[in-house]
Amino acid sequence: MTIADGRAVDSGDEISILSERFAEDPYAFYRDLREHHPVYFDHGVGRYLVSRYEDVVRVSKDPSLQSISTERVHGRTILQMEGQEHSTKRNLISPSFRAAGVESFLPLIEANSAVLIDRFVHDGKGDLVDQFTTRLPINVIVDMLDLPKSDHDEFHEWYSSLIALIIDTTGDPEIEARGMRARAEMEAYMLPIIAARRAKPGDDLLSRLAQAEIDGAALSDMEVKAFISLLFVAGGETTDKAMGLVVRNLLDNPDQFARVREDHSLIGAAFAETLRFSPPGHFLVRLASTDLEICGVHIPAGSMVSPIMASANRDPAKFADPDRFDIDRPDLEVARAYTAAANHTAFGAGRHFCVGALLAKSEVEHGLGMIVDRLKDLRYAPGFVPKEVGIHIRSLPSLEVEFTPA
């Protein structure tokens, strides 16, 4: 390996997250970055990649590095806010996503899980991604907002189009047009409903957001709409992708899966270890508002910086034997894995720690608990080999399984 013009070169090919080598095994790619190029400018995507745990946590917490990647998709949300504005707006939103608030939504999670499983439990086979994991979080959020169940499929289409826009690295004009159309359609759908809930609130999440007020501060209609859009994408993406990855990791480790079947209290540990071992979100994208230095590398103001959470979570300086999936891992603090004190980085860090972490935990625990209970003898379909795909967001496009029919 040599260095030329600031570029790390391996076998004649520039190292990049757009490379085939990355697509085949991103974790080996991250290992190379951590060991040889802990802060590396990737010419393929035009940004600095930060790969070591300590540096990823620092970058994630640094207020001079601003989130920019999703504003055009959702509008301005708490991800783009800092200082007092961020504190005020987050405090308006967060009560509904604390333990007491999430508990009120558990019946919706259980009901939606049962409805989805009922559709294929008698078949003895299915695709858990297509038939369950991609649909559960979106259906739950629609019901949390007290929107018509008949609109589940429409929201699923909007969610899919917005996710495609966020993760697109090709500049595909069709993906861009579909994503922008989804944003416009969701905005036209939501704004009249937000106004109606302000006038006549109920006990649903949308009403709570529309009515929330602290010292005279409230969310505007556009801020409520932007957060709802963010909730569908961020909440849907984490739960959707992670649930499939949890099932994959357990099927690949049958001894651990057998313990989870016997003791559902271990599902939280399996989810936390999945967030460390194979998180759905691999990168954040930040804009440096000032010059800074990371690991001895000067980064000019205006540069794009990507802390790699998936690399940090495999850093042997933080986690022993990091390439092994282990629900009993002593160096992963499961009790704090869904709080801002988490020592994995899958939910971000600092002020921008994911506000919906406890909701994701509840959906995975109850959804996976129902899968384990109702899909007896769950196993991969003959010949099926699960394979992750994606760059910023990596997941299983399908998860074909067999089980004993109900």
Side-chain angles (χ1 to χ4, degrees):
M1 182 177 292
T2 60
I3 301 296
D5 189 27
R7 304 183 185 203
V9 180
D10 190 0
S11 302
D13 296 322
E14 181 181 347
I15 296 176
S16 172
I17 62 174
L18 301 181
S19 68
E20 284 296 323
R21 188 162 73 89
F22 174 89
E24 186 62 30
D25 186 355
Y27 298 104
F29 180 92
Y30 299 151
R31 188 183 310 119
D32 180 47
L33 289 183
R34 287 192 306 268
E35 293 176 358
H36 303 290
H37 320 286
V39 179
Y40 163 67
F41 187 76
D42 184 335
H43 288 261
V45 291
R47 71 179 85 127
Y48 290 87
L49 306 181
V50 181
S51 53
R52 290 179 180 169
Y53 181 93
E54 182 179 353
D55 298 322
V56 166
V57 171
R58 174 195 161 187
V59 167
S60 299
K61 292 181 176 181
D62 191 335
S64 72
L65 288 157
Q66 303 168 348
S67 175
I68 62 170
S69 60
T70 61
E71 185 168 356
R72 72 190 183 109
V73 177
H74 309 298
R76 196 163 184 269
T77 71
I78 56 174
L79 295 181
Q80 285 78 43
M81 300 175 186
E82 296 292 346
Q84 185 59 48
E85 181 187 26
H86 176 269
S87 296
T88 299
K89 302 297 183 172
R90 186 179 177 102
N91 287 338
L92 290 168
I93 291 165
S94 59
S96 294
F97 296 92
R98 295 177 184 143
V102 169
E103 187 174 353
S104 67
F105 299 128
L106 294 184
L108 300 179
I109 297 171
E110 293 175 351
N112 278 285
S113 297
V115 166
L116 290 171
I117 290 179
D118 283 345
R119 295 176 181 174
F120 65 94
V121 69
H122 301 289
D123 298 340
K125 62 181 180 179
D127 181 345
L128 286 184
V129 169
D130 179 60
Q131 294 172 277
F132 190 83
T133 68
T134 61
R135 297 188 177 274
L136 176 63
I138 303 307
N139 292 359
V140 168
I141 292 169
V142 169
D143 288 354
M144 287 167 59
L145 298 169
D146 194 23
L147 300 173
K149 290 183 182 293
S150 58
D151 294 337
H152 277 182
D153 287 345
E154 189 166 19
F155 273 97
H156 188 266
E157 287 299 317
W158 288 336
Y159 160 73
S160 300
S161 296
L162 293 175
I163 282 287
L165 177 60
I166 290 171
I167 67 176
D168 177 47
T169 59
T170 66
D172 187 321
E174 185 176 338
I175 292 175
E176 172 81 16
R178 190 163 60 245
M180 289 294 97
R181 185 166 61 249
R183 171 180 168 160
E185 289 176 356
M186 182 181 286
E187 183 174 312
Y189 178 100
M190 291 301 309
L191 288 177
I193 297 175
I194 294 167
R197 300 289 168 88
R198 288 196 194 278
K200 189 177 180 181
D203 191 33
D204 56 275
L205 175 60
L206 185 52
S207 295
R208 295 181 201 176
L209 295 173
Q211 298 295 317
E213 185 174 318
I214 298 177
D215 296 332
L219 297 168
S220 69
D221 286 4
M222 288 301 293
E223 287 173 334
V224 173
K225 189 279 305 180
F227 178 73
I228 295 303
S229 177
L230 176 64
L231 177 62
F232 273 108
V233 170
E237 170 259 326
T238 299
T239 311
D240 160 15
K241 309 299 190 290
M243 192 177 300
L245 292 165
V246 174
V247 174
R248 187 277 310 272
N249 290 338
L250 290 173
L251 288 173
D252 286 349
N253 294 274
D255 291 346
Q256 296 182 58
F257 196 8
R259 292 175 54 209
V260 169
R261 285 192 184 100
E262 294 298 319
D263 182 1
H264 286 192
S265 69
L266 294 175
I267 294 175
F271 183 25
E273 174 65 345
T274 292
L275 290 171
R276 185 205 66 82
F277 180 77
S278 55
H282 277 221
F283 297 83
L284 296 174
V285 183
R286 296 286 187 260
L287 177 68
S289 59
T290 63
D291 287 2
L292 69 155
E293 185 175 297
I294 304 173
C295 202
V297 176
H298 175 73
I299 297 178
S303 299
M304 305 280 281
V305 180
S306 275
I308 311 173
M309 298 94 73
S311 176
N313 288 336
R314 295 280 191 108
D315 190 339
K318 181 64 179 179
F319 298 103
D321 196 7
D323 296 326
R324 179 170 60 90
F325 180 83
D326 181 7
I327 63 174
D328 298 314
R329 175 173 292 280
D331 49 12
L332 180 63
E333 300 171 10
V334 174
R336 301 196 296 177
Y338 307 98
T339 74
N343 70 336
H344 66 79
T345 62
F347 283 128
R351 295 163 62 83
H352 290 290
F353 183 85
C354 177
V355 72
L358 283 178
L359 176 62
K361 175 178 182 284
S362 294
E363 289 181 328
V364 170
E365 286 185 331
H366 288 267
L368 184 55
M370 199 168 292
I371 286 173
V372 169
D373 283 342
R374 299 189 62 191
L375 306 184
K376 304 296 184 182
D377 304 313
L378 187 67
R379 57 198 180 274
Y380 290 133
F384 176 75
V385 178
K387 183 173 177 58
E388 293 182 24
V389 300
I391 298 177
H392 292 82
I393 299 173
R394 285 185 68 85
S395 62
L396 303 174
S398 63
L399 183 51
E400 297 176 17
V401 295
E402 289 187 342
F403 46 86
T404 302

